[in-house]
Amino acid sequence: MALPKHADRLERVWHYTYLVICALIFLFLIAPILVVMPLSFNSEPYFTFTEKMLKFDPTGYSARWYDLLLTFGMQAPDVPRDSSWWSDTWNNAHWIQATKNSIIVGFFSTILATGLGTVAALGLSRPEMPGRRAIMAILISPMIVPIIITATGLFFFYSSVGIQNWGIPYLGVVLAHATLGIPFVIITVTATLVGFDHSLTRAAASLGANPARTFFKVQMPLILPGVISGGLFAFVTSFDEVVVVLFVGGLDEQTIPRQMWNGIREQISPAILSVATILVVISILLLATVELLRRRSERLRGISPG
Amino acid sequence: MKLRTALMATVFTSAAFAANAQEVTVMSWGGAYTKSQVEAYHKPFTAETGIKVNSVDADNPAAPLKAQVEAGNVSIDVADVEFSDAIRLCDEGLLEEIDASMLTAAPDGTSAADDFIDGAINDCSVGNIVWTTLIAYDTNVYGDNAPSTMADFFDTETYPGKRGMRKSPKAMLEMALMGDGVPAAEVYDLLETEEGIEQAFAKLDSIKDDIVWWEAGAQPPQLLADGEVTMTIVWNGRIFNAIASEGQPFALIWDGQIYDLDLFVVPKGAPNKDEAMEFIKFATSTGPLAEQASWIPYGPARVSSIARVGTFHNDDSIDMGEHMPTAPANLTNALQNDFEFWADMDSELSERFNAWLAN
Amino acid sequence: MSETSASDEILTTADGRPLKEALARAQFFAKRRAFFLVLPLLAFILLTFVMPIGQMLHRSVKNEGFTVHTDVTTGARTPIMTELSAWFDQNPSGTVPDEAAYTALVNDIGALDGLRSAGSAGTRINYLRAGSRSLFTKAARKWEKLEAPYQEAFYDLDDEWADPTLWAAMRQASNSYTFDFYLAAMDYTRDAEGSVTQVDENRQVYVKLFVRTLFLSLLITFMTFVLAYPIAHLLATLPLRHSNLLMILVLLPFWTSLLVRTTSWMVLLQSQGVVNDTMVGIGLLADESRLQMMYNQTGTVIAMTHILLPFMVLPLYSVMRPINPSYVRAARSLGATSWTAFRRIYFPQTVPGIGAGALLVFILAVGYYITPALVGGADGQLISNLIAFHMQKSLNWSLAAALASLLLGGILLLYWLYDRLVGIDNLKLG
C-alpha cells in the first residue's frame, strides 16, 4: 500500500490520515483485550489502575487473584499447601471444576461436530449432491438462529425427554454444543474441499484403492488443515458458550463461561480478569496453531506465502 | 490406538462421576448471604450427618424452582425464597408439604410451634431469617450533608448522584410511595388502588434517568464501591458485609425499611427429599439460626435464637443485634412486606414495571 | 466404447446397456452415496435442533393453563374448567353470564381448589386481563362458603366478577389453541367483545423493543461497516507477510471469549473506569461530569460494535484481496481523481463483501443476549433479553415462544435474502 510517486499533497495528507485512522481502529480492536491483563495483577480489589500501578511500584501488583482461582470454593483454603491442599483444590475449587467441565464438554462436542461435519462436508462438496442448497441452509442454521431461541428450545426438549435421567453426564450440553459447532466445521471443510483436486481420487481409484482407503490415505491428509481448523472453531465455540449452558446445563455442569457469568453478577473482583487473561493467552496459542497449519498446507500445495 | 485411547478416556471420566448417594442441593441468593449459610448450616450439617451439601445460587431461587418443577426436571432439593413466593408456590402445588412436627424444639423445651415467630411455619415452608431492604449511601460523597430519610433518596437536587434500585416492583413501589410522603400504614391500601400504583410509578419516573438497576444481591455494594451510584437500595446483610468485612465507607438509612421473612421450601419432585427435610430440620434449629446471625445481620426466625445473637464472627466489637431489621432503633418508620398482596399482584405489577422500564 | 452403425440409433455401453440408462444409474448411485454421507449429520441436526425449536414454537400457539391440569409429579392430565367450557359452547360470544354460568363457575373453581391449580388457571387469564389471578386465588380459598344464588355470591366476593372483559378472557382461554400470545407479542389484546384492540399506552413494550432492536442493530451494522472498511482495505493491499501480522489484531478479539470482551468493556466504560479516568487525568473532562457510558444504550452499542467488528472485517477482506489493483491504476491513468477512481472502480467491486458482512453482522446483532444483559442497563435491552425474562423470571413460556418465533421469522427472512444475494456456500471466515 505504498504511496504512488505521482501523489499530490492532498493525497499524501489523506494517505497519512488514513494510516492514523487504521491505527486507531486497530487500537479499538485490541485495547480491551490488552487492558485486562495488567489489571489482573492489581493488588487492590478495584477495576482501575491504582496510583501504585501507574508508578510501576511492585507493591501495587500481586498474583493474588490467580491464587484465588485455585482457592475459591475450597473446604479449607488456609492450611499449608501440601498434597491434601492440592487434592482439596482439585476436587472442590469452583474454577478448577469449571475448567474440567469446560474441557470435557469442549472435547466431546468437538469430536462429535468434527466427525459428523467432515463426513457431511465430503458429501456436500460433491457436485451431484441432491438438494444441496436446502440441506446446507439447514446445517448452517444453528449459527444464524439467535442463541436465546436455541437455548430455550433445547431446555424444553431435554426436559420433556428427560435427558438428565439417562445417566450420561453432560449429554445435553455436549449435544447442544456439537450442534452449535457444526456450521463452523462445515464452512471450513467445504472451503478446503473447494480447492481439492479430484483427479487425485480418480488416480487412486485407477491404482486399485477402494473408496475408504482413498479417503484415509489421499483425501484426509490434504483436507486435514481444514478439518483441524473447523475443529478448533468448534472447540472455541463450545469453550466460550454461556447461554445454552445457563439454560440446559445441570447444576454440576458449570463451565468456565458460566462461572464467569456468575462472577460478573456476584462479585466483580479482578479474579474474573485473571481468568480473562488466561483465556486470552490460550486464544493467542490457538491462533498461532491455526496460522502454522495454514502455512503448512500452503507449503504442501506448493504455494509460498508471498 | 486412537480409538482405544478415546474409549478409555470416556470410561475414565464416566467413572469419575459415580453417583453420590448422600447429598442435598440447596439453592440460595449468592454472595455474602450464601456464605453465611455455608458457614452456619452447610458445614455443621455435613459434619454432623455426613450428607454432602451442594450450594447453588440464583438471583431469585423462586423462578428457577418453578421452572424446574413445571418442566419436570428438578435438580434442587431445598430453596430459600421470599415469603410471598413461598405462599404463591405452595398455592400452586409446586412444593412438598413440610411436617411441622418434625422441627426441633428449643433447648429450653419450648415447642417449635411456639418458638418460631409469626408466619414462619406454613404448610410448605419454614422460616429462617428476617431481612430488610433499605438505603445505603457513600459517606465520602455526602460528607456533612448526609441524607437521612426515604424522601431524600428521591431528591436528586439536594443529593445529586445516581441511584441504585432493584429491578423488580417488590419493595420499590412501596418505597416510592413512602418517599412521596405516604405513611407506612397506608402504603398497601393505596397500592391496591389504580391511583396509588400510578403515584408510585410517577415518583419513580421523577428519578428514572438517574437509576442504575440491579438484579443480583451482590451488585448494589459493588455499584457503590465502583462509584457508579452514590445511593442505593440494598439488602441490609449484603451492605453490612461491605462495611464490616471490606471496610467500605458506607452508611445506612433505616427510615422506610421494608422487612420480610425468608423461608426454606422443598420443590415437588426433589431428588433427595428425605435429606432435604433433614437439612431443614437441622438448619432451622436454635443453634444454627443463631450462628448465621454472627455472619450476617439477618434476624433469626426463632425467639430462642434471637436471644443468642452475639457479635460479628470476625470482630467482637460489632454487636449484630443493633444491625438487625428488628432492632427497636431501626423500626421507627418500617413497613412489613405484605406477602398476600405480592402473592396476588406480583405477576401483574411485574408486567407493568417492565413496560414502564422499557418506555 | 460404443458401436454405431447406420441402423443403430441408441448408444450402448460395453455390456450392452443403453448409455442413457447406464449414466442415470451411475448418477443415481453417486447421488445416493453423497446423500448418505450427509445423512448422519442431517438426522442429528433435525433431531437436536430443528425438532426442539419446532416444539418450542408449538408452545406459542398452545397453552393449556385453563383447560388441562398436569400433575407435576405423576404427569397425569386432568381437564379443568369443564362445566364453564360447556356453558361457553352452548352460549354464543357476548351472552351475559347467568346463574347457570356462575353455578358452572363455582363447581369448576371447587375442582381447581382440589387440584391446587387455581393459581395457574388464574395466571392464564391474567395474561389476557391484568389483575385476574388474584380473583381466582381468592375464589379458590373461599368457594366452600359460597351459596346459591351464585351470581350474587360472586359479586359479593369481588365485584370484578361482573366485568365482561373477564368473561371474554375466560371464553378465549377455554381453547387450548390460541393466537392470543402472538397478539400480546405485538401489543394487541382482545376487548370485551373479543375483537382485537391495542393494549394501553403505558403497557406497550414489545413493538417498541422490536423497533429498538432493529434500530440498534442497524446502527451497529453501520458502525462496523465504517470501522471495518478502512482496515480491511489496508489488510487487503498490504503484502501478505505484513497483513498476516496485522490480521492477528483482528482475529485475537474474534477468538477471545465473549464474556471476556464484555467484561473488558465494563472495566473500560465504567464511571470510574479506565476511559473516564484517562480523560479526567489529561484534563478533557471535569471529575463531576464523567461520561455515562455504561448501563445504557451507549454501552450496548460500543461493546457490540467491538464484538461484531471481526465479522465485518473478514468477509470484506476475503472480497478485497483478489481485487486487481491495475483497474484503479488504469482509471487514474485515464484521468480520474483518486476519489472518483475509488468511488466508481474500487467500491463497486467490494459491494458483495459489504452485503455479506452487513447481513451477517445484522443477523447476529438482532439475536444478541449476553452483552445487552451485562452492559445495557434498562434502555439498552434488546428483544432477546425480554424473551429471556419471560423464560426465566415471569415464566410466561407461551409469550416467550411467540416473541421468539416472531424474531426467528424475521431472521429467516433475512437469511433467505442473504442466500439469494450472496449464497451460503460463499461464506468465508478468512
Side-chain angles (χ1 to χ4, degrees):
Chain A
M1 183 58 224
L3 199 56
K5 285 210 163 66
H6 53 78
D8 62 16
R9 179 172 309 173
L10 191 63
E11 277 184 35
R12 269 185 223 283
V13 166
W14 166 244
H15 181 77
Y16 291 116
T17 318
Y18 164 75
L19 287 178
V20 167
I21 292 177
C22 284
L24 286 174
I25 298 176
F26 277 121
L27 187 68
F28 173 71
L29 268 173
I30 206 72
I33 314 291
L34 294 182
V35 83
V36 294
M37 291 166 76
L39 277 178
S40 67
F41 290 102
N42 195 344
S43 56
E44 306 285 331
Y46 296 135
F47 265 12
T48 46
F49 289 101
T50 56
E51 287 291 321
K52 284 196 210 161
M53 289 181 80
L54 289 171
K55 295 196 185 80
F56 294 107
D57 182 347
T59 56
Y61 293 87
S62 93
R64 62 186 275 207
W65 306 110
Y66 291 91
D67 201 55
L68 189 66
L69 295 180
L70 288 175
T71 58
F72 184 61
M74 281 174 67
Q75 303 273 38
D78 299 316
V79 303
R81 298 195 175 186
D82 55 2
S83 61
S84 68
W85 187 90
W86 285 103
S87 81
D88 188 8
T89 287
W90 183 253
N91 290 326
N92 295 324
H94 292 320
W95 286 105
I96 306 285
Q97 291 295 103
T99 313
K100 279 194 259 180
N101 290 340
S102 274
I103 292 177
I104 291 171
V105 170
F107 177 73
F108 284 110
S109 65
T110 305
I111 299 281
L112 195 59
T114 314
L116 288 174
T118 308
V119 170
L122 283 170
L124 283 169
S125 66
R126 288 182 191 206
E128 62 267 11
M129 177 71 205
R132 188 156 175 268
R133 237 194 152 107
I135 293 184
M136 191 75 157
I138 296 177
L139 296 179
I140 305 284
S141 54
M143 195 165 82
I144 303 294
V145 171
I147 190 76
I148 187 80
I149 296 180
T150 314
T152 56
L154 286 176
F155 170 70
F156 286 125
F157 182 65
Y158 289 155
S159 305
S160 67
V161 298
I163 210 171
Q164 70 279 7
N165 297 327
W166 292 0
I168 310 175
Y170 304 111
L171 185 63
V173 184
V174 168
L175 289 179
H177 280 184
T179 310
L180 292 173
I182 276 162
F184 292 100
V185 176
I186 301 251
I187 291 174
T188 46
V189 178
T190 41
T192 317
L193 282 170
V194 158
F196 182 75
D197 186 359
H198 285 281
S199 57
L200 288 169
T201 36
R202 288 194 281 265
S206 79
L207 288 168
N210 63 27
R213 202 181 158 86
T214 318
F215 173 69
F216 282 110
K217 293 278 184 186
V218 179
Q219 281 186 308
M220 209 37 188
L222 287 175
I223 62 172
L224 197 61
V227 171
I228 294 186
S229 220
L232 273 173
F233 265 109
F235 182 78
V236 169
T237 306
S238 160
F239 205 69
D240 187 23
E241 209 288 314
V242 64
V243 184
V244 171
V245 178
L246 268 175
F247 279 82
V248 167
L251 296 165
D252 55 351
E253 290 169 6
Q254 301 271 65
T255 54
I256 293 179
R258 181 153 174 198
Q259 186 70 24
M260 285 187 76
W261 172 260
N262 286 345
I264 289 175
R265 295 167 70 74
E266 293 279 298
Q267 295 141 335
I268 317 183
S269 79
I272 308 280
L273 301 180
S274 330
V275 180
T277 309
I278 295 175
L279 289 177
V280 167
V281 168
I282 293 180
S283 303
I284 294 178
L285 290 172
L286 280 175
L287 211 60
T289 314
V290 170
E291 176 63 13
L292 286 171
L293 278 170
R294 209 183 47 80
R295 291 197 182 182
R296 173 184 176 271
S297 107
E298 280 179 346
R299 241 194 344 261
L300 273 178
R301 291 198 197 179
I303 314 165
S304 66
Chain B
M1 305 131 283
K2 288 187 190 163
L3 187 61
R4 216 185 326 150
T5 331
L7 226 49
M8 276 175 59
T10 321
V11 166
F12 189 82
T13 43
S14 317
F17 300 113
N20 261 339
Q22 293 256 290
E23 61 175 14
V24 67
T25 306
V26 179
M27 180 177 261
S28 185
W29 301 71
Y33 182 45
T34 293
K35 180 152 196 280
S36 71
Q37 293 189 325
V38 166
E39 299 292 338
Y41 312 147
H42 301 1
K43 285 186 179 168
F45 180 68
T46 307
E48 192 176 290
T49 61
I51 302 176
K52 182 164 183 279
V53 180
N54 299 319
S55 175
V56 290
D57 297 327
D59 287 347
N60 182 347
L65 184 150
K66 181 168 174 185
Q68 286 187 5
V69 178
E70 291 199 351
N73 183 357
V74 184
S75 51
I76 56 181
D77 302 307
V78 181
D80 181 311
V81 298
E82 290 170 330
F83 199 179
S84 54
D85 288 328
I87 298 299
R88 185 173 54 90
L89 292 171
C90 192
D91 269 348
E92 293 175 5
L94 300 175
L95 301 176
E96 300 278 2
E97 294 203 355
I98 299 184
D99 180 10
S101 60
M102 67 116 179
L103 298 170
T104 25
D108 65 358
T110 329
S111 73
D114 294 326
D115 197 24
F116 275 93
I117 62 178
D118 278 340
I121 300 188
N122 303 289
D123 288 338
C124 321
S125 47
V126 179
N128 48 22
I129 56 153
V130 175
W131 56 284
T132 188
T133 309
L134 45 46
I135 306 173
Y137 63 91
D138 190 340
T139 48
N140 283 345
V141 172
Y142 292 114
D144 301 319
N145 185 22
S148 54
T149 67
M150 182 57 75
D152 294 340
F153 184 82
F154 292 92
D155 184 357
T156 43
E157 280 169 17
T158 331
Y159 304 98
K162 298 232 167 246
R163 306 289 195 254
M165 292 188 86
R166 185 182 179 194
K167 198 170 173 187
S168 157
K170 263 192 205 168
M172 300 304 110
L173 292 183
E174 292 95 309
M175 286 184 159
L177 284 181
M178 289 206 277
D180 212 16
V182 176
E186 295 172 25
V187 167
Y188 283 108
D189 292 328
L190 197 51
L191 267 184
E192 284 182 10
T193 66
E194 178 64 26
E195 298 80 43
I197 297 177
E198 292 196 2
Q199 187 182 352
F201 276 111
K203 189 70 181 172
L204 287 175
D205 238 348
S206 67
I207 57 166
K208 190 176 181 191
D209 291 332
D210 289 318
I211 302 179
V212 176
W213 298 97
W214 56 266
E215 292 183 86
Q219 284 177 307
Q222 186 67 43
L223 289 171
L224 267 184
D226 282 340
E228 273 310 301
V229 301
T230 50
M231 264 207 262
T232 179
I233 308 266
V234 64
W235 297 330
N236 71 312
R238 312 299 193 107
I239 199 75
F240 173 84
N241 179 63
I243 300 173
S245 292
E246 295 170 19
Q248 301 274 20
F250 305 149
L252 304 177
I253 301 178
W254 288 94
D255 179 74
Q257 61 144 322
I258 299 180
Y259 60 95
D260 195 4
L261 193 60
D262 242 30
L263 307 99
F264 279 129
V265 296
V266 179
K268 257 233 167 74
N272 302 297
K273 184 175 156 189
D274 300 324
E275 287 84 349
M277 295 300 174
E278 258 196 74
F279 176 83
I280 293 181
K281 179 177 167 166
F282 178 86
T284 55
S285 51
T286 309
L289 276 187
E291 175 67 18
Q292 69 85 29
S294 74
W295 291 87
I296 201 165
Y298 287 147
R302 292 182 78 136
V303 175
S304 56
S305 302
I306 295 175
R308 288 194 184 189
V309 168
T311 54
F312 190 42
H313 75 282
N314 258 354
D315 185 347
D316 278 340
S317 65
I318 302 180
D319 174 29
M320 299 303 273
E322 288 169 6
H323 297 271
M324 294 208 173
T326 40
N330 301 331
L331 282 174
T332 39
N333 187 21
L335 178 62
Q336 178 165 21
N337 187 334
D338 184 344
F339 72 91
E340 266 187 14
F341 174 78
W342 283 109
D344 285 336
M345 299 296 283
D346 193 359
S347 36
E348 192 223 321
L349 287 177
S350 284
E351 231 186 85
R352 264 188 93 149
F353 185 73
N354 279 330
W356 172 80
L357 262 187
N359 280 323
Chain C
M1 258 293 291
S2 62
E3 273 183 307
T4 47
S5 63
S7 56
D8 246 16
E9 282 168 12
I10 308 171
L11 290 171
T12 56
T13 58
D15 47 358
R17 238 189 298 155
L19 187 60
K20 250 196 205 168
E21 213 186 277
L23 253 177
R25 235 175 109 79
Q27 280 221 311
F28 171 71
F29 279 128
K31 277 195 187 162
R32 200 176 67 162
R33 194 170 35 228
F35 187 72
F36 275 134
L37 282 175
V38 180
L39 192 62
L41 183 61
L42 192 62
F44 179 76
I45 293 274
L46 283 174
L47 193 65
T48 63
F49 185 74
V50 178
M51 210 165 94
I53 305 256
Q55 203 191 49
M56 190 201 67
L57 297 181
H58 184 231
R59 267 180 197 267
S60 64
V61 291
K62 184 172 180 183
N63 187 307
E64 294 177 328
F66 207 66
T67 49
V68 175
H69 167 81
T70 313
D71 186 276
V72 288
T73 22
T74 62
R77 292 163 59 85
T78 327
I80 55 172
M81 307 308 289
T82 42
E83 293 191 29
L84 196 59
S85 286
W87 186 88
F88 281 130
D89 288 336
Q90 288 152 11
N91 294 278
S93 165
T95 324
V96 175
D98 54 7
E99 183 59 24
Y102 283 97
T103 317
L105 184 63
V106 76
N107 289 334
D108 283 332
I109 290 192
L112 283 183
D113 187 38
L115 291 167
R116 309 185 82 171
S117 60
S120 48
T123 307
R124 174 66 182 93
I125 306 295
N126 211 46
Y127 294 148
L128 291 167
R129 179 188 175 279
S132 312
R133 186 179 182 278
S134 44
L135 290 175
F136 280 83
T137 45
K138 242 195 293 187
R141 278 197 282 261
K142 308 208 169 119
W143 73 279
E144 283 156 332
K145 300 198 188 89
L146 298 177
E147 300 170 9
Y150 288 114
Q151 193 161 15
E152 303 291 317
F154 269 100
Y155 287 177
D156 288 336
L157 191 59
D158 194 315
D159 50 18
E160 287 201 36
W161 282 108
D163 186 358
T165 24
L166 177 63
W167 285 89
M170 289 200 289
R171 183 182 285 271
Q172 268 299 110
S174 298
N175 195 349
S176 295
Y177 284 93
T178 172
F179 277 120
D180 285 344
F181 292 100
Y182 279 99
L183 289 177
M186 296 188 282
D187 289 329
Y188 283 97
T189 184
R190 290 186 192 270
D191 60 10
E193 289 86 50
S195 53
V196 174
T197 57
Q198 275 214 316
V199 163
D200 284 344
E201 272 291 328
N202 61 1
R203 304 285 211 108
Q204 286 182 8
V205 57
Y206 301 111
V207 172
K208 261 197 185 93
L209 244 100
F210 272 116
V211 169
R212 185 197 293 171
T213 308
L214 196 70
F215 171 69
L216 284 183
S217 302
L218 281 173
L219 180 63
I220 289 167
T221 308
F222 179 71
M223 292 203 52
T224 50
F225 166 66
V226 165
L227 292 177
Y229 203 87
I231 56 175
H233 175 75
L234 185 67
L235 287 169
T237 46
L238 278 177
L240 211 54
R241 250 188 333 259
H242 300 312
S243 74
N244 277 343
L245 280 171
L246 283 179
M247 189 62 109
I248 293 179
L249 297 179
V250 173
L251 289 178
L252 187 57
F254 186 58
W255 286 86
T256 309
S257 157
L258 171 63
L259 278 178
V260 169
R261 281 180 279 170
T262 310
T263 317
S264 320
W265 280 110
M266 288 170 76
V267 168
L268 284 172
L269 295 178
Q270 278 181 328
S271 293
Q272 305 286 331
V274 177
V275 173
N276 270 322
D277 272 353
T278 317
M279 290 209 275
V280 168
I282 60 179
L284 265 178
L285 276 184
D287 196 31
E288 300 79 41
S289 48
R290 285 166 180 261
L291 293 176
Q292 186 68 20
M293 295 182 288
M294 265 276 274
Y295 304 123
N296 56 17
Q297 278 186 7
T298 319
T300 308
V301 171
I302 295 177
M304 281 178 70
T305 304
H306 177 257
I307 291 171
L308 293 172
L309 194 53
F311 284 101
M312 181 66 100
V313 172
L314 293 173
L316 274 177
Y317 172 75
S318 67
V319 163
M320 283 179 176
R321 188 98 227 176
I323 292 181
N324 196 336
S326 39
Y327 288 136
V328 174
R329 272 186 247 142
R332 296 301 304 281
S333 78
L334 288 169
T337 60
S338 93
W339 167 247
T340 313
F342 172 77
R343 183 173 56 93
R344 293 182 63 179
I345 308 295
Y346 191 79
F347 189 80
Q349 290 182 298
T350 59
V351 165
I354 299 176
L359 270 166
L360 189 60
V361 169
F362 185 80
I363 288 176
L364 289 174
V366 166
Y368 247 56
Y369 163 64
I370 295 281
T371 310
L374 289 175
V375 304
D379 66 344
Q381 297 286 294
L382 299 185
I383 196 73
S384 297
N385 301 106
L386 217 58
I387 295 177
F389 171 78
H390 283 302
M391 273 300 302
Q392 297 177 302
K393 305 260 169 77
S394 79
L395 302 182
N396 185 350
W397 290 336
S398 291
L399 183 57
L403 287 168
S405 61
L406 286 177
L407 181 63
L408 190 59
I411 293 210
L412 287 177
L413 190 65
L414 284 170
Y415 185 42
W416 176 80
L417 216 80
Y418 180 67
D419 191 21
R420 274 279 114 126
L421 291 177
V422 182
I424 316 161
D425 10 345
N426 293 337
L427 178 63
K428 292 197 190 69
L429 287 174

